[in-house]
């Protein structure tokens, strides 16, 4: 399969992942702490328990991606 | 022994199980391979299928072959070889600990042959140490090596070594060799993709000569637990459930039982923890892919949601990162040594044949006692 296809395009996008993720270290740490707290606490981890922190992480990530694309 | 020619070994057509996300599926599969290789095996495979015990079919071997072929054909594939080289050198060390020459050796699932190059290198080191007392010319520990793998590309791109090597395209679960052929069987980091591990160990036992030795290294125990936990937590939080992304591994405690059931004696099992540090989760996954270690279980999920990858990256970094910001990935390597029984091997003494008493133990250090020790 030559030329660009879905797999080669998504691989290209994934190559940018570490750089973009590094710009959102703070939000990532907050989200990670929220999830880690639930795993050690008494409640079990459920869906969207840390949704707020994840939204912050995701917006930071998408903004970084937009800035990179410009 | 006629296996100098490359023979294609057909794999058994396991019926694909009904896969449901998040649950283990078992299927009974009968091995249909004996039809295709008449005369090579001295006993038919009745024993395995007639007992009624089906084999586990966890991994898609066809997919694993494709993944290994892809990994071997990468232009810069050698950058992913660090783990296999390290484990290969440790297995070669264990071969050298045995003071014997092995005329014929087999490397199962050897891929690009990571063990053989260490066998020839260490040979020179030992030769120099023995310089004052050379009795024979050159001490070849392994004289001839057969290398099997499911992936043709890996065999084609195997690394050069001074030991004459023959490549055989064969599945680890269906070895095309006669009984009592090999003095030494080694295996490095390929047993963890075998569906029927007890059966494979039994076959290894069969192709060994009596007083032959099997030295193996496989990933097991708590390998990649950081990756597994990060993905599990991320998927639970983001999607409400999780499916297995890291394949199931053998525990070190089970390994002794498995080897004993296959008929090996004088077992030695030990575990080595190798930690490799990576910048981030994507590098971990990319390296695993480049090594040919991508998931090929039947019940694997076809995709990883981008939100889940982002969440898993954050969780991995937060929960497991070290001070310099890199994240560790643990590989628990289980090393096993097993011998095929032979009369010359030491056995436990007969009951009642003792001629010293444990009560005399306290008298050993006293110099006046000059009796039998």
């Amino acid at each position: 399969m030559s030329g660009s296809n879905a797999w080669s395009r998504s691989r290209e996008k994934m190559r940018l992942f570490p750089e973009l993720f590094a710009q959102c270290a703070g939000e990532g740490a907050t989200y990670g702490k929220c999830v880690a707290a639930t795993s050690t606490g008494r409640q079990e981890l459920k869906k969207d328990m840390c949704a707020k922190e994840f939204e912050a992480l995701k917006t930071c990530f998408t903004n970084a991606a937009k800035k990179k694309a410009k | 022994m006629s296996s100098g020619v490359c023979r294609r070994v057909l794999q058994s057509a396991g019926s694909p199980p009904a896969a449901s996300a998040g649950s283990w599926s078992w299927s009974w599969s009968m091995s249909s391979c004996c039809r295709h290789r008449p005369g090579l095996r001295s006993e038919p495979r009745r024993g395995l299928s007639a007992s009624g015990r089906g084999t586990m079919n966890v991994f898609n071997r066809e997919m694993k072959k494709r993944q290994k072929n892809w990994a071997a054909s990468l232009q810069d594939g050698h950058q992913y070889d660090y783990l296999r080289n390290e484990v290969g050198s440790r297995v070669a060390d264990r071969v050298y600990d045995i003071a014997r020459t092995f005329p014929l050796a087999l490397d199962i699932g050897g891929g690009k042959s990571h063990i053989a190059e260490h066998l020839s290198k260490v040979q020179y080191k030992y030769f120099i140490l023995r310089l004052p007392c050379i009795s024979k010319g050159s001490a070849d520990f392994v004289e001839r090596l057969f290398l099997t793998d499911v992936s043709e590309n890996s065999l084609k791109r195997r690394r050069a070594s001074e030991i004459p090597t023959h490549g055989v395209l064969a599945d680890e679960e269906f070895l095309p060799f006669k009984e009592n052929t090999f003095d030494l069987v080694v295996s490095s980091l390929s047993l963890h993709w075998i569906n029927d591990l007890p059966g494979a160990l039994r076959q290894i036992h069969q192709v060994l000569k009596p007083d032959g030795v099997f030295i193996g290294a496989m990933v097991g125990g708590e390998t990649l637990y950081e990756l597994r936990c990060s993905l599990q937590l991320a998927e639970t939080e983001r999607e409400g459930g999780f499916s297995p992304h890291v394949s199931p591994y053998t525990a070190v405690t089970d390994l002794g039982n498995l080897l004993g059931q296959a008929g090996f004696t004088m077992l030695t099992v030990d575990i080595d923890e190798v930690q490799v540090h990576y910048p981030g989760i994507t590098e971990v996954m990319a390296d695993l892919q480049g090594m040919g270690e991508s998931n090929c279980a039947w019940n694997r999920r076809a995709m990883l949601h981008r939100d889940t990858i982002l969440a898993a990256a954050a969780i991995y970094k937060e929960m497991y990162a070290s001070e310099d910001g890199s994240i560790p990935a643990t590989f628990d390597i289980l090393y096993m040594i097993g011998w095929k029984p032979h009369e010359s091997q030491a056995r436990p003494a007969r009951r009642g044949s003792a001629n010293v008493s444990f009560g005399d133990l306290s008298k050993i250090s006293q110099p006046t006692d000059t009796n039998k020790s």
Side-chain angles (χ1 to χ4, degrees):
Chain A
M1 232 182 302
S2 55
S4 106
N5 50 47
W7 295 283
S8 61
R9 280 194 293 269
S10 52
R11 275 221 177 94
E12 270 308 311
K13 283 201 201 140
M14 279 309 286
R15 260 185 264 272
L16 303 172
F17 183 93
E19 194 189 318
L20 301 174
F21 183 67
Q23 298 176 27
C24 302
E27 286 87 347
T30 322
Y31 175 72
K33 282 196 182 72
C34 168
V35 173
T38 58
S39 66
T40 50
R42 219 168 293 154
Q43 317 169 284
E44 261 187 38
L45 185 63
K46 287 205 193 48
K47 183 165 168 17
D48 288 333
M49 240 180 185
C50 300
K52 253 197 315 224
E53 288 85 353
F54 184 76
E55 283 312 312
L57 173 61
K58 190 160 179 193
T59 36
C60 166
F61 193 81
T62 39
N63 290 340
K66 280 186 203 153
K67 253 189 285 181
K68 174 118 184 113
K70 277 202 204 126
Chain B
M1 218 257 318
S2 62
S3 308
V5 180
C6 263
R7 296 195 68 114
R8 244 208 145 83
V9 177
L10 296 169
Q11 302 164 25
S12 83
S15 56
S20 55
S23 72
W24 285 111
S25 42
W26 291 56
S27 80
W28 303 96
S29 69
M30 307 281 275
S31 69
S32 57
C33 193
C34 49
R35 284 201 290 274
H36 301 283
R37 290 178 290 105
L40 266 189
R41 306 289 305 277
S42 58
E43 63 176 77
R45 309 263 322 249
R46 282 193 306 265
L48 279 177
S49 47
S51 62
R53 205 170 21 102
T55 51
M56 265 176 40
N57 194 357
V58 180
F59 302 115
N60 182 349
R61 296 289 295 170
E62 181 57 43
M63 190 72 216
K64 180 44 61 183
K65 179 161 82 166
R66 290 212 290 268
Q67 287 168 352
K68 284 195 168 170
N69 273 333
W70 176 84
S73 61
L74 286 175
Q75 287 302 332
D76 50 357
H78 53 268
Q79 66 175 312
Y80 303 113
D81 283 343
Y82 48 89
L83 186 65
R84 286 189 203 274
N85 283 339
E86 180 58 33
V87 176
S89 75
R90 293 186 193 190
V91 172
D93 274 346
R94 280 163 171 81
V95 174
Y96 276 109
D97 283 343
I98 302 175
R100 251 176 69 171
T101 307
F102 301 103
L104 199 58
L106 172 65
D107 186 352
I108 293 184
K112 294 193 241 175
S113 180
H114 300 269
I115 302 179
E117 50 174 352
H118 296 279
L119 281 175
S120 8
K121 272 191 223 157
V122 184
Q123 170 198 331
Y124 288 117
K125 176 176 97 184
Y126 272 72
F127 192 59
I128 290 166
L129 288 175
R130 288 192 199 154
L131 210 51
C133 47
I134 300 174
S135 50
K136 27 187 181 170
S138 68
D140 284 324
F141 278 80
V142 172
E143 284 167 23
R144 255 174 71 190
L145 178 69
F146 275 80
L147 182 72
T148 66
D149 200 83
V150 279
S151 141
E152 203 169 337
N153 286 348
S154 310
L155 289 175
K156 280 191 201 149
R157 284 159 192 256
R158 63 171 175 265
R159 305 156 88 96
S161 90
E162 281 119 16
I163 307 172
T165 310
H166 305 264
V168 178
L169 190 65
D171 193 323
E172 291 93 327
E173 300 184 54
F174 306 107
L175 295 177
F177 303 109
K178 256 166 70 167
E179 262 192 35
N180 300 332
T181 320
F182 293 102
D183 305 274
L184 168 70
V185 175
V186 288
S187 168
S188 169
L189 300 186
S190 78
L191 294 172
H192 56 284
W193 292 116
I194 294 184
N195 277 317
D196 180 19
L197 191 55
L201 290 175
R202 239 172 278 135
Q203 288 188 49
I204 294 174
H205 179 82
Q206 267 180 343
V207 298
L208 269 178
K209 283 195 190 135
D211 210 26
V213 61
F214 165 57
I215 301 181
M218 69 185 275
V219 286
E222 294 298 309
T223 303
L224 294 173
Y225 73 91
E226 303 102 340
L227 182 67
R228 189 183 65 223
C229 290
S230 312
L231 284 171
Q232 183 176 324
L233 290 172
E235 266 188 310
T236 311
E237 201 275 326
R238 286 285 90 215
E239 300 175 46
F242 66 94
S243 66
H245 290 279
V246 178
S247 55
Y249 295 118
T250 314
V252 64
T253 44
D254 295 333
L255 208 50
N257 292 338
L258 280 171
L259 288 168
Q261 273 173 14
F264 291 102
T265 57
M266 302 205 297
L267 306 175
T268 308
V269 176
D270 62 284
I271 186 165
D272 221 350
E273 193 184 290
V274 176
Q275 255 199 6
V276 186
H277 286 257
Y278 295 92
I281 198 176
T282 39
E283 283 83 358
V284 176
M285 297 199 280
D287 269 21
L288 289 172
Q289 208 177 28
M291 282 186 224
E293 298 294 311
S294 317
N295 193 5
C296 69
W298 286 108
N299 61 358
R300 72 186 182 280
R301 209 166 154 215
M303 56 157 270
L304 201 50
H305 211 275
R306 69 180 80 173
D307 282 357
T308 308
I309 299 181
L310 186 55
I315 294 171
Y316 203 149
K317 203 170 187 83
E318 177 54 36
M319 285 179 68
Y320 300 109
S322 35
E323 293 84 39
D324 61 352
S326 64
I327 56 175
T330 308
F331 296 92
D332 275 350
I333 318 279
L334 314 179
Y335 297 94
M336 62 201 105
I337 303 179
W339 294 78
K340 187 155 177 177
H342 188 256
E343 303 84 45
S344 66
Q345 289 169 1
R347 285 166 190 280
R350 207 172 32 87
R351 276 184 78 111
S353 63
N355 50 11
V356 286
S357 155
F358 269 117
D360 297 336
L361 209 57
S362 54
K363 301 189 193 141
I364 287 180
S365 54
Q366 293 170 9
T368 52
D369 201 296
T370 50
N371 289 7
K372 59 186 186 314
S373 58

